[in-house]
Amino acid sequence: MTGLELEREGDDWRLHLNGDWSLEAMAQIEAQLLALPGGLRGTLVCDWSRAAAPGIGPAWVLLKRLSGLGAGPLDVRHSGDPPHFLELLQKLEAESHAVPASSEAGTGLEHSVSEVGRWAVLQGTEGRAVVGFFGRLVTVFQEAFSRPRALRPSSLARHIYETGITAIPIVSLIAFLISVIVAYLGAQQLSKFGAVIFVVDLVTISVLREMGVLLTAIIVAGRSGSAFAAEIGVMQLNEETDALRAMGMNPIELLVVPRMLALVIALPLLTVIADAMGLAGGALLSLVNLHIPLPQFTSRLRESLAPTTFWAGLIKAPVFAILIAMVGTYRGMQVRDSARELGRLTTVAVVQSIFLVILADAIFAVVFVQIDF
């Protein structure tokens, strides 16, 4: 029979825990605990000597109820061979009471300053890690001058195929469609001024200087950047990179450098293809919708081209490739512990790659304007 007996001992109290205290008696125990009077003061001793088979659930309910019995500070103690897990439950119960206090205190200026400080420390740590990763890359490239096999030609060829050749269809399709859209919308506006012929200038300059390389880089970031992070991340989870280190091999040399070099080679070539498909899309729309014949389109294209128009777009491609490859491989090397972390860092790699590509493109635009390129 489960029962609770609360008796007074001078200014203190003693609570006898009797009978079955297993999980089966949980409902009965809760009902009796709710019947205990409140407003107690002094010391309350819980006597476990008569409790049979105490379980974690009833013990937790007891601690939660005892925390609300006191009218003021109530010193709760346990005697009579309490269960071994009681100390752990007491710590958890104390922490549950500490959370609201910390949250309330955290609404002030002190909490805001601490959050800013924590963010600054994390960014500093992240910055040092990125610099260290870049330094290891530079070291491997330096060794490649004296040891060309460090560039792993067979792995390099495979990654050029995966990041470059297999990406040609999607890059071509996107560049073609975007140029058609730009030419169509541009024609709608320019026709109001009788300047439809300048659609050729619009398509040529926008595709060759900006859209060709930018769209290609964004597609490659979502396609190859995520693949880099996922592939290396899975190797991290399977401890394959640790095995490479144990065999005396450098994971940077084996996993990072071939992917970066492949992307530096593949992205400029993909940009040229995207430029060609973009111009083809503009020419097709001009012929079908604006009735501009191909010879006239070609002649106007040559007139609108400056000597630096094509190169202004192509110069950006290797820089974008380095950014995408570095972010993808770096985030992949960061994966630890779980598949959830793998998914999170793969997403981070794609988002950061696209952000850095757009930021670098903005910087290039400002620099090119300043130097009149």
Side-chain angles (χ1 to χ4, degrees), residues 35-106:
L36 290 176
L40 303 182
R41 297 179 181 273
T43 301
L44 175 65
V45 179
C46 293
D47 188 355
W48 291 83
S49 59
R50 302 176 192 173
I56 293 179
W60 176 254
V61 172
L62 172 67
L63 293 179
K64 296 295 287 183
R65 177 58 179 144
L66 293 180
S67 65
L69 286 179
L74 181 64
D75 183 16
V76 178
R77 301 178 184 177
H78 297 268
S79 65
D81 193 22
H84 62 87
F85 51 76
L86 187 64
E87 183 178 355
L88 174 60
L89 295 181
Q90 287 176 311
K91 291 181 179 179
L92 292 176
E93 202 274 335
E95 289 178 0
S96 68
H97 284 286
V99 170
S102 61
S103 300
E104 184 178 354

Side-chain angles (χ1 to χ4, degrees), residues 87-249:
E87 183 178 355
L88 174 60
L89 295 181
Q90 287 176 311
K91 291 181 179 179
L92 292 176
E93 202 274 335
E95 289 178 0
S96 68
H97 284 286
V99 170
S102 61
S103 300
E104 184 178 354
T107 58
L109 178 62
E110 182 178 350
H111 175 71
S112 301
V113 173
S114 66
E115 288 297 321
V116 172
R118 186 179 295 108
W119 178 85
V121 171
L122 289 176
Q123 296 307 310
T125 304
E126 185 80 9
R128 288 195 297 272
V130 171
V131 172
F133 182 76
F134 183 75
R136 292 196 295 273
L137 273 175
V138 172
T139 302
V140 172
F141 279 114
Q142 287 178 342
E143 294 176 354
F145 287 106
S146 59
R147 189 167 55 91
R149 286 183 60 84
L151 298 179
R152 307 285 171 177
S154 59
S155 180
L156 177 62
R158 178 175 70 87
H159 288 300
I160 290 176
Y161 173 79
E162 292 179 352
T163 60
I165 296 177
T166 58
I168 290 177
I170 184 63
V171 168
S172 302
L173 179 61
I174 294 297
F176 182 87
L177 293 177
I178 291 296
S179 65
V180 168
I181 293 171
V182 170
Y184 182 78
L185 295 178
Q188 297 299 315
Q189 299 300 317
L190 292 173
S191 62
K192 300 176 181 179
F193 307 99
V196 174
I197 190 63
F198 290 105
V199 170
V200 181
D201 301 60
L202 175 65
V203 172
T204 301
I205 296 174
S206 62
V207 168
L208 294 184
R209 288 189 70 96
E210 290 294 335
M211 288 198 309
V213 63
L214 188 59
L215 288 173
T216 303
I218 291 175
I219 293 170
V220 169
R223 187 177 180 277
S224 299
S226 60
F228 291 170
E231 290 171 2
I232 297 177
V234 170
M235 296 183 71
Q236 286 280 95
L237 289 179
N238 295 335
E239 299 182 354
E240 296 177 44
T241 54
D242 295 332
L244 291 175
R245 294 187 183 94
M247 291 186 292
M249 299 181 182

Side-chain angles (χ1 to χ4, degrees), residues 192-317:
K192 300 176 181 179
F193 307 99
V196 174
I197 190 63
F198 290 105
V199 170
V200 181
D201 301 60
L202 175 65
V203 172
T204 301
I205 296 174
S206 62
V207 168
L208 294 184
R209 288 189 70 96
E210 290 294 335
M211 288 198 309
V213 63
L214 188 59
L215 288 173
T216 303
I218 291 175
I219 293 170
V220 169
R223 187 177 180 277
S224 299
S226 60
F228 291 170
E231 290 171 2
I232 297 177
V234 170
M235 296 183 71
Q236 286 280 95
L237 289 179
N238 295 335
E239 299 182 354
E240 296 177 44
T241 54
D242 295 332
L244 291 175
R245 294 187 183 94
M247 291 186 292
M249 299 181 182
N250 187 353
I252 300 295
E253 177 182 324
L254 289 173
L255 305 177
V256 177
V257 171
R259 287 172 168 82
M260 178 172 290
L261 284 179
L263 208 56
V264 169
I265 294 172
L267 191 57
L269 300 178
L270 287 173
T271 300
V272 173
I273 295 173
D275 290 346
M277 293 302 297
L279 294 178
L284 179 62
L285 185 121
S286 299
L287 177 63
V288 173
N289 194 44
L290 306 179
H291 307 292
I292 299 177
L294 184 60
Q296 185 180 2
F297 182 92
T298 305
S299 174
R300 184 63 194 174
L301 185 150
R302 292 173 180 171
E303 294 176 7
S304 62
L305 279 178
T308 59
T309 302
F310 172 73
W311 296 108
L314 194 62
I315 287 173
K316 304 174 186 177

